[in-house]
Amino acid sequence: MSHQPDLLYTEEEEALRSAVRDLLADHCDAATVQARAESDEPHDRALWKNLAESMGLAGLLVPEERGGQGATHREAAVVLEELGRAVAPVPYLTSAVVATEALLACDGEEAATLLAALASGRTVGALAVPLSDRAPRDEWSVRADGTALTGTVTGVADAAAADVFLVPTADGLFAVDAGATGVSVTPQTSLDRTRPLATVTLGGAAGRLLAPTAAPVVRRALRAGAGLLVSEQLGLSEWLLTETVRYTRERNQFNRPVGSFQSLKHRLAQLWLETVNLKAAARNAADALAAGSDDADIAVAVAQAYAAPVAVHAAEEALQLHGGIGMTWEHPIHLYLKRAKADSIALGTAGRHREELAELVELWAP
């Protein structure tokens, strides 16, 4: 259906932002994230409990009659902006967006029960596909022998935090409990420790059928994930820009603030322009998804094609313009750079989304 985009934030969305930002300021400061990223427990389960159970944010995309909050992708996008600003180590994108969207596409009692559990925040779900996937695969790496699942999936984001895996196979989508016999989760070396990857290995693990065909379910889940990942990239970019402007105002060289030098003004102005454009693309994608617009695929592809280079550029500029302190491990910029780089290949690269956009609008390369 045709839809007139609304890119502005509502009063309710701004109130939600304020509440989430206050919570993160109290429980997710840079030093805490840094310490956690260097530990054996990168996920912040206490913060997740606050976000998901106390504030009800895990169920934003789930209708009230199915156990959720009955909100939309617009509100979820605001949450992801704030989580991006804090590089929060919680499985929001993976469980409350991607896995939840997959379950919303499934019928039946099993899916309904699991959806309500994810919406409550007490259960964390993960779609068992590599984080780099943009679309369903031609062949799934897990095979089903009846309801016994066997195979290996690498690069699954937040798998270590998951209570249940949604596993696509040629015979449908199955739910597999993380603690079931025959399931093992092996951490991988991840550039971004705030969203760690792992290999999920199934050796005849018991699965519960959620949908007879996996591809359309996975396609819907990955589209929503890609569309809302842009809001996380926006949050990253805004924090990096704000902190860099603040630092260049305070840092003096030759008895004047470094931010007063013309060349730095130009670099920061360019970054501001890119970030404002990114906000428009992110809002358009979230709004199109919320409205179920016919243009949602195009809105997501446009936003994803634009977002990754901007977030990475913001992190690189922040690192350079903070001078020597930006290069230190103690300063949080490296957390943002790693997240921006990891996001740039998550749910499809910018190049892959440009190819998809060309297909959608039938604008072929010469």
Side-chain angles (χ1 to χ4, degrees), residues 169-194:
T169 73
D171 297 308
L173 184 76
F174 291 84
V176 178
D177 292 328
T181 303
V183 179
S184 67
V185 178
T186 309
Q188 294 176 230
T189 301
S190 308
L191 173 65
D192 175 18
R193 289 276 292 159
T194 61

Side-chain angles (χ1 to χ4, degrees), residues 11-319:
E11 285 185 20
E12 291 81 4
E13 287 164 3
E14 290 293 6
L16 174 61
R17 177 195 308 286
S18 181
V20 175
R21 188 174 294 189
D22 287 348
L23 176 69
L24 293 171
D26 290 340
H27 297 283
C28 193
D29 61 281
T32 302
V33 177
Q34 171 89 327
R36 191 167 286 285
E38 294 174 20
S39 73
D40 293 330
E41 185 63 41
H43 290 102
D44 191 334
R45 295 178 188 275
L47 176 61
W48 174 252
K49 189 178 176 70
N50 269 317
L51 288 165
E53 294 185 39
S54 304
M55 296 183 71
L57 300 182
L60 288 181
L61 297 181
V62 181
E64 290 183 49
E65 64 271 16
R66 301 184 73 177
Q69 302 299 317
T72 72
H73 300 80
R74 291 176 59 97
E75 289 80 9
V78 170
V79 173
L80 278 163
E81 284 181 36
E82 294 306 310
L83 294 177
R85 285 179 64 90
V87 207
V90 290
Y92 191 85
L93 180 73
T94 44
S95 183
V97 177
V98 176
T100 294
E101 279 278 350
L103 289 169
L104 284 167
C106 299
D107 297 318
E109 195 62 38
E110 186 65 49
T113 302
L114 198 48
L115 182 63
L118 259 62
S120 74
R122 287 186 287 276
T123 297
V124 173
L127 183 64
V129 300
L131 180 61
S132 58
D133 277 9
R134 167 63 192 101
R137 298 188 165 221
D138 295 331
E139 290 186 12
W140 304 108
S141 58
V142 176
R143 68 181 186 277
D145 181 6
T147 57
L149 305 185
T150 303
T152 299
V153 188
T154 58
V156 180
D158 293 330
D163 302 302
V164 62
F165 293 109
L166 310 183
V167 185
T169 73
D171 297 308
L173 184 76
F174 291 84
V176 178
D177 292 328
T181 303
V183 179
S184 67
V185 178
T186 309
Q188 294 176 230
T189 301
S190 308
L191 173 65
D192 175 18
R193 289 276 292 159
T194 61
R195 181 175 285 143
L197 306 179
T199 298
V200 178
T201 304
L202 306 176
R208 307 184 298 282
L209 186 65
L210 297 170
T213 310
V217 177
V218 172
R219 183 174 289 106
R220 171 176 171 167
L222 295 182
R223 182 183 74 162
L228 294 186
L229 175 65
V230 182
S231 289
E232 176 184 292
Q233 291 166 306
L234 171 61
L236 289 170
S237 301
E238 288 188 329
W239 185 91
L240 289 159
L241 175 62
T242 302
E243 283 299 302
T244 306
V245 169
R246 184 185 63 75
Y247 180 78
T248 56
R249 280 178 175 160
E250 294 175 357
R251 175 87 169 104
N252 283 314
Q253 246 179 8
F254 308 112
N255 293 321
R256 56 189 281 203
V258 297
S260 67
F261 292 104
Q262 191 76 9
S263 60
L264 297 198
K265 284 183 179 180
H266 285 169
R267 287 169 68 172
L268 289 168
Q270 176 64 30
L271 199 54
W272 177 83
L273 189 62
E274 290 176 9
T275 303
V276 169
N277 288 338
L278 174 53
K279 178 177 285 189
R283 292 305 293 163
N284 187 49
D287 186 62
L289 287 167
S293 166
D294 290 340
D295 294 330
D297 284 345
I298 292 175
V300 169
V302 167
Q304 268 289 328
Y306 188 76
V310 172
V312 171
H313 183 220
E316 291 172 345
E317 288 288 74
L319 189 72

